[in-house]
């Protein structure tokens, strides 16, 4: 194996914080676990100690830390229990990784020694290329010395030899580099990486291993940013031509974007909590970015470059402790719910032609709005609406399904044109010039499952919005207030949905509604993301998303209706409702000038 060139030792990673050799603190108090460098022979041989940041405080690691319940172990990691000791991490990391559930046949340290001996044992072999799956992926070296850089390359080459199915994995080199700082030898680091690659924990993953999986993660992050960082999302959507392209770098913000001292604190919690932690911390970075640039606004059109520069200098804006505190203050949905979203994004990418074996995209994924034409909104306004909808649908260009100017003012015609399309975007322009609408996650044919009377259906991805005079979106109340609901135990069945209040005051009976339950034809379909049966809701009025009958349509309910239209599609009403916690979207009683429904044109 060739030694790295003079410039390689520095790597592509961020500069280390501090320049003095680290002080290893020996904690010998009665209630702590004794840790010093002798407890991990060989650890530190790959590290340039002049680059390594000093420990900020002594480590106080309980003797029985590995016997603590998982919830308490997560709390200790989040609080930085072992952040003050490099040797403490060296002892803990391999033991924590040994607990990761993984495939039965997983390459371990002896396998590495055997393969590395065959690959690198002959003096005549001077160099080996890095695996193809690392093409275009940064390979940070952080605080590794030249010996460590060489070891990192050897580990990555052996991963490529023993995991031939990997086609794209941006996180892998950074993760291997960080773990190598705390490994006693190459073989131990390789085994740790292998176990994370081979993890088979349900609804969880550590390392994406294909472009398809990675791009689905990027889209999932975009969806989460859209919901949990609306101000930052609006800022980026207004400055970037392609929001998804900006979010496609979310993982790079963390690795190698963050300085070593921050990155290793992320690693502390990542080993215990998996990919969901990375989403949290990237969202916290996005929130902080918006706060930091708010006074001056974005300085240029290269949003990606501004985000990279911000993350590289994160220490000027927020401490690592405060960053983690803010990250864990974000109330995300359950790991299973996020997994459902990721699988839905993955399916949409496959419909666009992305395959598991594909290394890089062969075409641009963004929707071109240049040829978009609407009688209700401009192309720029539609681009804003498109930035609000879930990423998996924004991959597809808009398709006009129904227009009152083309198809007439007929509710029956509305249903005929819209049935079979899921989801849809409803746009309304009033005679006063106001524009509002709704994103509706379910097929309008779902209304027929209620029988003679109508019931609400749809999922928590539905939202209502205004475009003119001001653009604003109002999502399901549980997105901003997830504490109002809990995840439903697997054994519990979903309660029926309530019948809607009558559109425009007409009275009607009620009946249960069987919304979004996979029918005989849909048994192979994934459960929808944010389906109400996944949650224990505080009241039935918190899930009144959409309803249709021969008398009209209603969107949003509980204490009022966000939008309701009569059968002529000429008169409507809007008011506050509990499902979306929205104000009136325009004049409360309005006359429709134009109404359009847009679907999504599949590839």
């Amino acid at each position: 194996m060739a030694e790295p060139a003079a410039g390689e030792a520095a790597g592509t990673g961020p500069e280390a914080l501090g320049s003095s050799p680290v002080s290893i603190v020996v904690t010998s108090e009665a209630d702590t676990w004794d840790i010093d460098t002798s407890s991990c022979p060989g650890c530190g041989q790959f590290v340039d100690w002049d680059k390594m940041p000093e420990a900020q405080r002594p480590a106080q690691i309980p003797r029985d830390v590995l016997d603590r319940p998982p919830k308490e172990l997560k709390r200790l990691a989040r609080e930085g229990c072992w952040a003050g000791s490099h040797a403490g991490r060296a002892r803990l990391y391999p033991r924590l990784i040994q607990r990761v559930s993984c495939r039965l046949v997983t390459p371990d340290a002896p396998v590495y020694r055997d393969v590395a001996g065959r690959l690198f044992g002959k003096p005549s072999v001077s160099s080996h290329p890095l695996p193809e799956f690392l093409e275009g992926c940064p390979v940070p070296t952080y605080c590794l010395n030249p010996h460590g850089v060489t070891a990192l390359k050897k580990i990555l080459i052996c991963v490529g030899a023993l995991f031939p199915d990997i086609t794209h994995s941006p996180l892998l080199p950074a993760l291997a580099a960080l773990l190598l700082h705390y490994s006693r030898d190459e073989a131990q680091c390789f085994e740790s990486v292998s176990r994370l690659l081979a993890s088979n924990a349900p609804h969880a993953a550590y390392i994406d291993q294909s472009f398809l999986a990675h791009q689905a993660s990027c889209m999932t992050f975009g969806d989460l940013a859209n919901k949990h960082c609306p101000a930052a999302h609006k800022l980026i959507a207004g400055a970037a031509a392609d929001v998804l392209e900006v979010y496609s770098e979310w993982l790079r913000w963390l690795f190698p974007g963050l300085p070593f001292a921050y990155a290793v604190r992320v690693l502390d919690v990542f080993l215990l909590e998996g990919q969901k932690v990375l989403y949290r911390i990237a969202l916290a970075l996005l929130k902080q970015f918006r706060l930091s640039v708010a006074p001056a606004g974005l300085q240029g059109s290269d949003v990606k470059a501004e985000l990279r520069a911000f993350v590289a200098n994160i220490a000027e804006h927020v401490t690592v402790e405060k960053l983690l505190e803010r990250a864990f203050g974000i109330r995300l949905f359950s790991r299973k719910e996020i997994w459902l979203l990721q699988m839905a994004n993955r399916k949409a990418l496959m419909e666009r032609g992305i395959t598991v074996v594909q290394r890089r995209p062969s075409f641009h994924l963004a929707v071109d709005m240049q040829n978009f034409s609407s009688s209700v909104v401009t192309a720029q306004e539609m681009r804003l609406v498109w930035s609000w909808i879930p990423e998996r649908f924004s991959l597809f260009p808009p398709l006009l399904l129904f227009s009152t100017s083309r198809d007439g003012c007929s509710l029956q015609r509305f249903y005929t044109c819209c049935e079979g399309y899921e989801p849809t975007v409803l746009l309304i322009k009033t005679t006063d010039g106001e524009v509002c609408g709704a994103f509706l996650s379910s097929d309008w044919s779902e209304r027929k499952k209620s029988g003679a009377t109508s019931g609400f259906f749809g999922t928590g991805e539905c939202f209502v919005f205004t475009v003119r005079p001001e653009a604003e979106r109002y999502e399901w109340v549980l997105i901003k207030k997830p504490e109002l609901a809990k995840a439903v135990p697997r054994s519990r069945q979903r309660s029926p949905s309530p019948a809607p209040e009558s559109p425009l005051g007409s009275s009607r009976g009620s009946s249960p509604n069987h919304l979004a339950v996979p029918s005989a034809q849909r048994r192979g379909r994934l459960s929808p993301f944010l389906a109400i049966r996944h949650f224990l809701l505080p009241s039935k009025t918190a899930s009144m998303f959409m309803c249709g009958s021969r008398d009209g349509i209603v969107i949003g309910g509980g204490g009022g209706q966000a939008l309701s239209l009569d059968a002529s599609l000429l008169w409507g009403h809007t008011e506050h409702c509990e499902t979306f916690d929205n104000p009136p979207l325009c004049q409360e009683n309005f006359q429709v000038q134009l109404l359009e429904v847009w679907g999504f044109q599949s590839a």
Side-chain angles (χ1 to χ4, degrees):
M1 184 76 181
E3 288 297 315
E8 286 182 321
T12 57
E15 292 296 320
L17 304 179
S19 58
S20 303
V22 67
S23 299
I24 301 298
V25 179
V26 179
T27 57
S28 56
E29 290 82 352
D31 62 339
T32 60
W33 176 24
D34 294 340
I35 298 176
D36 58 24
T37 50
S38 64
S39 66
C40 189
C43 291
Q45 63 171 309
F46 304 113
V47 176
D48 182 341
W49 291 101
D50 288 333
K51 293 182 179 180
M52 199 73 160
E54 293 188 14
Q56 298 299 310
R57 54 189 171 81
Q60 300 289 321
I61 305 177
R63 291 176 182 272
D64 62 344
V65 63
L66 291 171
D67 297 325
R68 299 292 180 94
K71 190 173 183 179
E72 187 174 353
L73 201 56
K74 290 178 184 179
R75 178 185 63 80
L76 291 173
R78 292 180 180 188
E79 293 175 356
C81 179
W82 41 91
S85 170
H86 297 304
R89 283 194 175 105
R91 278 285 297 271
L92 277 173
Y93 280 178
R95 299 184 184 193
L96 293 175
I97 293 171
Q98 283 296 319
R99 297 180 169 197
V100 172
S101 173
C102 61
R103 297 192 293 269
L104 184 61
V105 180
T106 299
D108 57 10
V111 171
Y112 175 81
R113 294 188 185 99
D114 178 60
V115 172
R118 287 188 280 110
L119 285 175
F120 314 117
K122 296 179 181 180
S124 60
V125 179
S126 60
S127 65
H128 293 268
L130 288 175
E132 286 187 31
F133 67 75
L134 292 180
E135 182 185 350
C137 301
V139 183
T141 56
Y142 296 108
C143 304
L144 295 177
N145 58 27
H147 176 47
V149 173
T150 299
L152 175 61
K153 291 180 178 179
K154 290 168 67 178
I155 290 166
L156 293 174
I157 290 166
C158 287
V159 167
L162 291 163
F163 290 85
D165 292 338
I166 300 178
T167 55
H168 186 70
S169 189
L171 176 58
L172 177 56
L175 196 57
L178 289 169
L179 289 170
L180 189 57
H181 288 71
Y182 302 102
S183 299
R184 65 173 175 266
D185 56 27
E186 297 169 17
Q188 185 186 58
C189 180
F190 171 85
E191 181 171 328
S192 294
V193 171
S194 292
R195 291 191 67 84
L196 297 177
L197 284 168
S199 169
N200 59 5
H203 306 142
Y206 284 92
I207 307 174
D208 291 333
Q209 299 169 46
S210 68
F211 178 77
L212 175 63
H214 171 66
Q215 194 66 18
S217 296
C218 294
M219 292 168 61
T220 299
F221 176 77
D223 287 324
L224 296 175
N226 199 347
K227 296 183 183 304
H228 296 283
C229 308
H233 182 78
K234 185 176 182 180
L235 179 73
I236 291 172
D242 185 352
V243 180
L244 179 55
E245 188 178 351
V246 175
Y247 290 148
S248 69
E249 292 202 342
W250 77 277
L251 203 52
R252 291 194 184 195
W253 303 344
L254 306 178
F255 311 110
L258 289 173
F260 178 83
Y262 285 66
V264 77
R265 284 294 303 275
V266 175
L267 183 61
D268 288 343
V269 288
F270 171 73
L271 294 179
L272 286 164
E273 303 187 45
Q275 193 176 48
K276 186 176 178 181
V277 160
L278 304 186
Y279 286 136
R280 284 185 182 280
I281 295 168
L283 290 172
L285 285 171
L286 195 59
K287 283 176 175 282
Q288 186 64 42
F289 174 72
R290 202 274 304 177
L291 292 173
S292 300
V293 303
L298 291 172
Q299 298 302 305
S301 58
D302 194 345
V303 182
K304 293 198 296 183
E306 293 203 29
L307 270 162
R308 286 190 218 111
F310 166 78
V311 172
N313 298 294
I314 188 64
E316 298 176 6
H317 303 280
V318 64
T319 65
V320 66
E321 289 79 15
K322 184 58 70 174
L323 178 66
L324 290 175
E325 179 184 323
R326 291 174 181 172
F328 291 109
I330 298 171
R331 298 292 299 273
L332 292 183
F333 291 108
S334 69
R335 183 175 281 106
K336 178 183 177 181
E337 203 67 35
I338 293 174
W339 177 83
L340 286 171
L341 176 57
Q342 185 133 345
M343 291 301 101
N345 286 333
R346 186 184 178 109
K347 180 180 177 182
L349 286 166
M350 293 175 74
E351 289 177 3
R352 282 296 305 271
I354 301 295
T355 66
V356 174
V357 297
Q358 186 169 336
R359 288 181 169 82
R360 304 293 294 170
S362 57
F363 51 83
H364 197 48
L365 291 172
V367 170
D368 183 5
M369 289 289 185
Q370 295 300 318
N371 299 320
F372 172 78
S373 178
S374 165
S375 301
V376 177
V377 294
T378 65
Q380 181 67 18
E381 288 170 336
M382 193 59 160
R383 193 163 73 86
L384 175 62
V385 173
W386 231 241
S387 77
W388 287 335
I389 66 179
E391 294 284 3
R392 65 187 183 277
F393 302 122
S394 65
L395 292 176
F396 302 95
L399 174 68
L400 183 63
L401 303 178
F402 175 84
S403 169
T404 50
S405 63
R406 182 190 71 185
D407 303 298
C409 297
S410 162
L411 182 60
Q412 187 55 50
R413 181 69 177 158
F414 170 95
Y415 288 139
T416 301
C417 292
C418 297
E419 285 178 7
Y421 289 88
E422 178 181 299
T424 53
V425 176
L426 172 69
L427 297 173
I428 298 171
K429 183 177 181 180
T430 72
T431 52
D432 292 327
E434 296 174 292
V435 175
C436 59
F439 172 79
L440 304 168
S441 65
S442 297
D443 190 329
W444 277 105
S445 64
E446 293 278 341
R447 77 188 192 284
K448 299 175 182 178
K449 295 183 178 180
S450 298
T453 55
S454 57
F456 277 98
F457 54 98
T459 71
E461 287 192 292
C462 292
F463 61 83
V464 294
F465 57 85
T466 60
V467 176
R468 279 183 241 151
E470 296 291 335
E472 195 59 66
R473 173 184 52 162
Y474 304 95
E475 296 188 282
W476 185 26
V477 67
L478 262 67
I479 290 174
K480 288 190 175 180
K481 300 176 181 178
E483 65 276 7
L484 295 178
K486 297 179 179 179
V488 175
R490 292 184 182 181
S491 59
R492 185 182 175 103
Q493 296 296 316
R494 178 188 51 79
S495 300
S497 298
E501 300 162 49
S502 304
L504 305 177
S506 63
S507 63
R508 193 198 280 89
S510 63
S511 110
N513 177 56
H514 305 286
L515 67 90
V517 177
S519 62
Q521 303 97 304
R522 294 183 173 183
R523 282 173 185 160
R525 181 182 175 183
L526 283 170
S527 179
F529 174 60
L530 298 188
I532 63 168
R533 63 176 176 273
H534 299 170
F535 302 90
L536 293 172
L537 300 176
S539 68
K540 292 182 178 181
T541 57
S543 61
M544 302 171 76
F545 300 114
M546 52 191 291
C547 163
S549 70
R550 61 185 180 184
D551 299 317
I553 63 173
V554 173
I555 299 162
Q561 299 162 355
L563 271 176
S564 59
L565 294 168
D566 69 358
S568 72
L569 301 182
L570 289 173
W571 299 96
H573 181 74
T574 178
E575 59 191 334
H576 170 268
C577 79
E578 294 176 14
T579 296
F580 300 117
D581 192 24
N582 60 284
L585 303 178
C586 57
Q587 291 294 322
E588 290 196 9
N589 294 298
F590 60 87
Q591 185 175 358
V592 177
Q593 179 177 324
L594 285 167
L595 181 149
E596 292 178 346
V597 180
W598 291 83
F600 299 81
Q601 186 173 333
S602 59

